[in-house]
Structure formats: C-alpha cells, structure tokens
Amino acid sequence: MFLQGLYFNHALMLANVVMIVLMLVGLYHRGSITVPKDVTIKFLLLFLAIQILALFTAVEKGMQVYGIFLGLLLIMAYIVIYQVHDELFMKSFKWVFVMGVILGGLIGIASYLGLGENRLSYVIHQRMAGPIQYANTWAIVVLAAILVFLTLAMKPWQKVIGMSILGTTLLMTMSRSVTLIACLVMVYLIFRKKLQYTFWIGLGLSVIINRVLIAFTNLELVFSRLTQMTPKVSEWQTRLLYYDDALHMIGDRPLGYGTFGYYYAQRAYQTGSMYHVRYVHSSLLQAFLDIGMIGGMTLAAFMIYIIFIKKYDGMNKLVIMVLLFHSLTDINLQFPYIWLLILIFSMHKEEAEKKEYTLPKNLSYFVLFILLLPCIYFLRVETTYQMGDYEKTLNLYQSHTEGARRYLQEVDNKEQRFTISQNLIHKNPYIIEGYQVQKEIAIKNGNYPLAVEYAKILVALNPLNINRHEDYSTTMLMAGEASIRCGDVLQGKNYLEAIRAIPEGLVILAKEKNTHYNIKHKPHLVMTEKLNQDYEKASELLMGLE
C-alpha cells in the first residue's frame, strides 16, 4: 500500500526516480536524448521556473521543494514520452490504459463483495476510489477510459463486457459531477453518431449490475446521492464556500502561499464551516493559491491552448477536455498520473519534430545523475514518513513540516517538544500545533502572559473553533488569578475584563463569519457552558476586587 493516495509526495518522488531511470536507459540504448521545442515544453519549463521562484515567497518553504519536484517530473515525463511516442506507442498505451482501468474496476467490485485484501484501499467511504484512492478523480479516469475504449477495435461481445465493467465502475464511484459530465459527453457522442449498439447493451448491463451490487451491499442510501443534483446540495455549496474563502486568501497574498501553504493557512480565512482540506477542490484556483497570480494565469493559458488551439486527434482532445474541465471543480491536477495522461493524449509529435534538438550524450548523463541523487534522497525521506518513522524523517530532512507535526504528537520529552514546536512556528506562522505546545509549556512554567498571547494567536488562526475561545478564556482566567495573587491587580483586571468581553466578541464574529451557504459543520459561535462558567468566575473576582 506504499502508493496509497497517488497525490501524496511518496508517489511523486517515486515517479521522479522512475522517469530519470527511464531516461538513463533510453540514453544508453539510443545514444542521445531528443528534446521537443513545442509550446507544451515551454509551458512546463515556465511552470518549473515559477515553482522555483515560489520557494522565496512560500509560507512553507520546506514543503515547497515538492512543488519544484512536480515541475521537474512533468518536464522529464514529457521528454520520456517524446522519445517513444508514435502510432504504435499510442495504440499500445490505449490498450494498457483501458485494461488497467478495467482491472481496477474488477478489484473494486470484488472489494464490495468482501473478496481479496483490497477493501480498505479500493472502497473509501463506501464509494469506489480505485488505486487513485479518491472517488471523484477515479471517476473521471474511468470516464476517460470509456472514451478511449470506444476507439478500440474488438469483437462485439468484448465491447459489451468491457463497457459493462467500465459502466459499473463509474456508477460505483457515485460521483455526481462526473455523472453529469458523462451525460453531457454522451449527448455529444449521440449527436456525432459515435455510439454503437454494443455501447448501449454494455451500459444497460452496467446499470443492472450496479443495482444488484447496491442491493447486495445495502448502499441504497449512499447511492441516492446521485439523484441529488441541484445547486443546493451541501457538497457543492461547500465547494462554493471554499472558492469564496480562497479568493480572499489570494487577494491577501497574490504571490501565492506555496505548496501546502493553503492547507496550513485556510483556517484563519475560513467562513461558514469548520472545514480543513488539503486542496481547495479546484486545480486552477489551487495554482493561484500555490504559485500566485502569475502561476495561475500560466496554467489557465495552458488549458486554453491545449483544449482550443493545439491540434491533435479528436477523441484524444475529448479525453483532455473531460480531464481539464473536471479539474476546475476538483483536485485532478494534484495527481501526477492525471498530468501524464494529459501529456500523452495531447502529444502531437509532428509539430514538435520541426524544432526539436538533441542533447549531448555526456552532458545528458551528468545532468541526469545530478538530478537522480536528490530524487532518491527525498524518496527515502517520503518512505520513512509514509512508514510512520517521523523522527527519522526529520533527521533526514529537518524542514519536513508534516513529519514534524506528526512527531510532535508522539514525543513526550519537554525539551524536544519545545524545540520542535518553536522551529515549526518560526518557519511557518500558521502551524496551530506549534502554538498549542508553546502555550502548554508556558502554563507549566507559570508564564501566564506568554500563554495568553499564544492562546490569542490560536483564536486568530482558527476563529470558528469554539474550543479555541474556551481555551483562550480559561488561559486568561488563570493569568488573571495569578496576576492578582502576585499583587498586579491592574493586569489581573485587564484579563478578567477581556473574559467578560467574549460574549460580545462572539456575536460580532458570528455576523462576520456565518454565511448563507447550505453546508455541514457550521460553526456554533455562542457562549458554551465552559465560557459561561469562566464569565461568572471572572465577574465574581471583579466584584471582589471592587
């Protein structure tokens, strides 16, 4: 299960190593590497350059290195594809791609039936997520495979069986957005007279199989989500909320937050819901968040070019359109696998051959070995992280923020916790766990003013979490009592008065943060039992002082 979740960094680093090894093998057998000089390679080079520049503006510089590795991977992958791309390669790749998706679908169906050991990996939250581990992106891959499947030459009975498996797989992802896109594509293909009778028979069988499978596994309630297609659906409303909050974030930091920056900073900006997601669920908007206005506009320009301007096979272009249009409302482009599909299906070698050039052999060997070393090293870093050895992860790469956050939850030594948390908040001002540990240590050391400052920062970083307000209130109560005991009555009064101001502050915050969106996990910014107890205690202390 090392590759579980193909958008995680261990898969990214493994892909980098594999691509460099493939280039070395190709260089050894062919004697040279040919590099295209088309618009796509220019975009990929620009994308890498922007990722490198983001290292200087990122909130989390330690994790931005993975954005650079993504840019490097795309360039190497495109060059590798260019070396072997021809009519035979595309024919073979289409078969491998479709058969791979069919196999993934069969494993997923078997998982629902409790067969094999892949249930946890292929079925997530009762939806088929496939080897990609994310149902919506797996759904769009299945739809792309169906489009490619329609172009393959095979016997009618094979077409029916293949379509029934692919159709069942698509339905079991229970993806509303992809189902809607599939219906629109089907209307287009009907208009173009591209759908044969074998497609309709296979689709009918897939519906029957799906209904039997749903009944057998008692998933009628989950499957009913496909009937909820109105704009008022909570999931879609939540995404609109993501986008609304993200636009405010972009306005505050137009140069971008860097890789993982959105993940760390989002809670300080969120409104209406206590969400915490790794990505904003729009690949284009994610680019604006990660690499700024220039990066986002560059990706938008590339999408326009590859869909509307670049000329290549019609069905391949439909595959690309499906992948990219869906990425506007989901995290598709966080998967290197999706990028590889886009690069392969959009390849037009005749255009690139007019301007291609050949790299010198010795220089190619030198560059590839230089690139291979850090890729292998960071693959080792991600392997230790994926295996749960967070201490070793930090020993290998001290700027691995995710490893530090996980290790902070495990370590008991006070000095280690202090050092790790201090390093975290020094490198990244949005790391909540770091401030939490610093606050706890300050309280144990009797440094209540410092503890109050950290508690106040925690409220600012996560204002919709009422627990942060409770913690802030309790910390100020302790600080107030301690100040009064030490004879600093004025300071003690200030803390107690601040506690009494919390109810009014919550009312103001609720007006600012609550939204009209129909969403789950709405924040409850009201006085809780704990806040009321602290309020009454503060009032009693103030009356005693008077």
Side-chain angles (χ1 to χ4, degrees):
M1 288 312 300
F2 178 70
L3 288 178
Q4 183 174 5
L6 294 183
Y7 57 92
F8 293 140
N9 291 329
H10 57 280
L12 170 65
M13 297 316 305
L14 179 61
N16 269 286
V17 172
V18 169
M19 287 300 166
I20 294 177
V21 170
L22 288 175
M23 291 181 73
L24 286 170
V25 172
L27 181 60
Y28 176 79
H29 285 284
R30 299 163 66 99
S32 64
I33 294 178
T34 304
V35 179
K37 294 176 66 176
D38 58 0
V39 175
T40 300
I41 196 68
K42 292 175 182 177
F43 158 76
L44 297 178
L45 288 169
L46 179 58
F47 181 75
L48 175 60
I50 294 172
Q51 292 283 6
I52 294 172
L53 290 175
L55 189 64
F56 300 98
T57 60
V59 166
E60 180 49 70
K61 293 176 172 56
M63 301 304 287
Q64 176 56 31
V65 66
Y66 293 101
I68 296 173
F69 277 121
L70 173 61
L72 179 63
L73 170 65
L74 300 183
I75 292 173
M76 292 190 299
Y78 192 64
I79 293 174
V80 168
I81 295 166
Y82 186 79
Q83 309 307 303
V84 297
H85 192 281
D86 55 24
E87 187 175 341
L88 178 60
F89 168 81
M90 279 305 300
K91 182 178 180 180
S92 302
F93 175 78
K94 287 179 178 180
W95 275 98
V96 171
F97 172 56
V98 170
M99 291 300 110
V101 174
I102 288 176
L103 178 60
L106 289 173
I107 295 175
I109 293 170
S111 298
Y112 277 110
L113 299 176
L115 304 176
E117 300 178 356
N118 295 294
R119 181 171 179 78
L120 292 178
S121 60
Y122 277 73
V123 178
I124 298 177
H125 301 307
Q126 299 179 311
R127 298 170 61 192
M128 190 186 295
I132 285 181
Q133 305 296 291
Y134 181 64
N136 288 341
T137 299
W138 176 234
I140 204 66
V141 169
V142 175
L143 179 56
I146 290 173
L147 295 176
V148 175
F149 179 76
L150 295 176
T151 67
L152 299 180
M154 58 181 68
K155 296 179 180 179
W157 66 269
Q158 294 172 326
K159 284 273 189 180
V160 171
I161 293 175
M163 185 58 217
S164 64
I165 297 173
L166 290 170
T168 302
T169 303
L170 180 60
L171 289 171
M172 291 307 294
T173 64
M174 306 180 202
S175 173
R176 285 179 287 222
S177 56
V178 177
T179 300
L180 183 59
I181 292 174
C183 291
L184 294 175
V185 170
M186 192 163 62
V187 170
Y188 169 77
L189 293 176
I190 291 173
F191 180 76
R192 295 293 302 273
K193 299 181 180 180
K194 297 288 186 179
L195 299 180
Q196 301 176 354
Y197 73 94
T198 52
F199 169 84
W200 297 109
I201 296 175
L203 182 62
L205 286 175
S206 69
V207 172
I208 295 172
I209 296 171
N210 176 263
R211 296 309 302 167
V212 172
L213 195 58
I214 290 295
F216 179 79
T217 53
N218 297 316
L219 291 178
E220 289 88 350
L221 185 60
V222 180
F223 190 74
S224 65
R225 72 193 309 275
L226 287 181
T227 65
Q228 302 167 4
M229 291 284 191
T230 68
K232 294 296 183 180
V233 171
S234 175
E235 181 181 341
W236 290 352
Q237 290 274 301
T238 303
R239 301 224 176 155
L240 292 176
L241 184 61
Y242 294 166
Y243 305 156
D244 195 2
D245 293 344
L247 291 175
H248 288 92
M249 293 180 68
I250 294 169
D252 276 1
R253 201 179 180 96
L255 294 179
Y257 292 78
T259 302
F260 277 77
Y262 169 74
Y263 176 58
Y264 298 128
Q266 65 185 254
R267 285 181 290 195
Y269 289 87
Q270 65 186 192
T271 61
S273 176
M274 293 175 58
Y275 61 84
H276 192 211
V277 291
R278 190 178 296 269
Y279 303 109
V280 76
H281 286 75
S282 168
S283 296
L284 182 58
L285 200 55
Q286 189 72 48
F288 279 94
L289 287 163
D290 289 352
I291 49 181
M293 299 291 288
I294 296 175
M297 288 187 291
T298 300
L299 179 59
F302 177 71
M303 287 181 168
I304 293 171
Y305 165 75
I306 206 168
I307 292 176
F308 299 108
I309 300 175
K310 188 172 184 178
K311 296 180 180 179
Y312 50 98
D313 179 77
M315 189 60 83
N316 287 359
K317 178 164 285 193
L318 187 57
V319 170
I320 300 296
M321 289 175 66
V322 162
L323 293 173
L324 288 180
F325 279 139
H326 185 255
S327 75
L328 296 176
T329 59
D330 222 312
I331 67 173
N332 296 359
L333 298 187
Q334 305 309 316
F335 295 83
Y337 175 70
I338 300 297
W339 275 106
L340 295 181
L341 290 179
I342 291 171
L343 295 178
I344 291 172
F345 282 109
S346 66
M347 174 72 75
H348 184 56
K349 196 165 185 179
E350 289 75 12
E351 174 192 355
E353 282 178 340
K354 298 176 183 178
K355 301 178 181 180
E356 67 182 17
Y357 64 96
T358 302
L359 295 176
K361 184 176 181 179
N362 292 334
L363 177 61
S364 299
Y365 272 121
F366 175 76
V367 171
L368 289 175
F369 277 114
I370 291 297
L371 293 175
L372 183 60
L373 293 177
C375 289
I376 291 177
Y377 186 82
F378 275 90
L379 175 59
R380 185 186 177 200
V381 171
E382 287 304 316
T383 302
T384 59
Y385 174 76
Q386 189 68 16
M387 300 299 290
D389 192 346
Y390 305 122
E391 182 178 13
K392 188 174 181 180
T393 301
L394 291 178
N395 289 335
L396 291 171
Y397 183 48
Q398 293 184 353
S399 295
H400 199 293
T401 300
E402 286 301 284
R405 291 175 66 213
R406 296 292 183 89
Y407 186 51
L408 191 61
Q409 298 172 6
E410 295 181 350
V411 67
D412 295 322
N413 183 276
K414 180 180 177 180
E415 292 183 359
Q416 279 186 296
R417 287 174 63 80
F418 178 82
T419 301
I420 295 171
S421 60
Q422 192 174 52
N423 289 337
L424 278 171
I425 61 179
H426 176 72
K427 294 176 182 177
N428 187 335
Y430 293 101
I431 299 296
I432 287 177
E433 295 87 351
Y435 292 107
Q436 183 68 35
V437 170
Q438 289 287 308
K439 180 188 70 69
E440 293 171 358
I441 293 174
I443 290 174
K444 289 180 180 179
N445 292 337
N447 192 345
Y448 294 106
L450 183 60
V452 169
E453 287 302 313
Y454 284 132
K456 187 176 181 180
I457 291 172
L458 286 166
V459 170
L461 292 179
N462 194 7
L464 298 191
N465 189 339
I466 196 64
N467 293 329
R468 299 295 177 200
H469 296 273
E470 291 180 341
D471 184 58
Y472 181 44
S473 174
T474 301
T475 305
M476 285 197 296
L477 185 59
M478 288 189 293
E481 292 174 329
S483 296
I484 293 170
R485 286 195 303 269
C486 294
D488 192 350
V489 177
L490 181 60
Q491 183 62 53
K493 280 186 174 181
N494 290 337
Y495 287 131
L496 298 176
E497 290 292 354
I499 294 173
R500 285 165 57 87
I502 287 178
E504 182 181 356
L506 287 176
V507 171
I508 295 172
L509 184 64
K511 290 180 180 178
E512 292 177 353
K513 295 291 188 178
N514 284 330
T515 65
H516 63 279
Y517 293 108
N518 174 36
I519 51 179
K520 299 177 182 178
H521 312 299
K522 290 185 177 181
H524 299 285
L525 298 173
V526 296
M527 292 292 287
T528 63
E529 181 180 355
K530 182 69 176 68
L531 286 173
N532 281 318
Q533 290 174 355
D534 289 346
Y535 182 89
E536 293 172 3
K537 179 67 174 177
S539 299
E540 291 175 5
L541 289 171
L542 284 170
M543 289 180 61
L545 292 174
E546 294 174 358

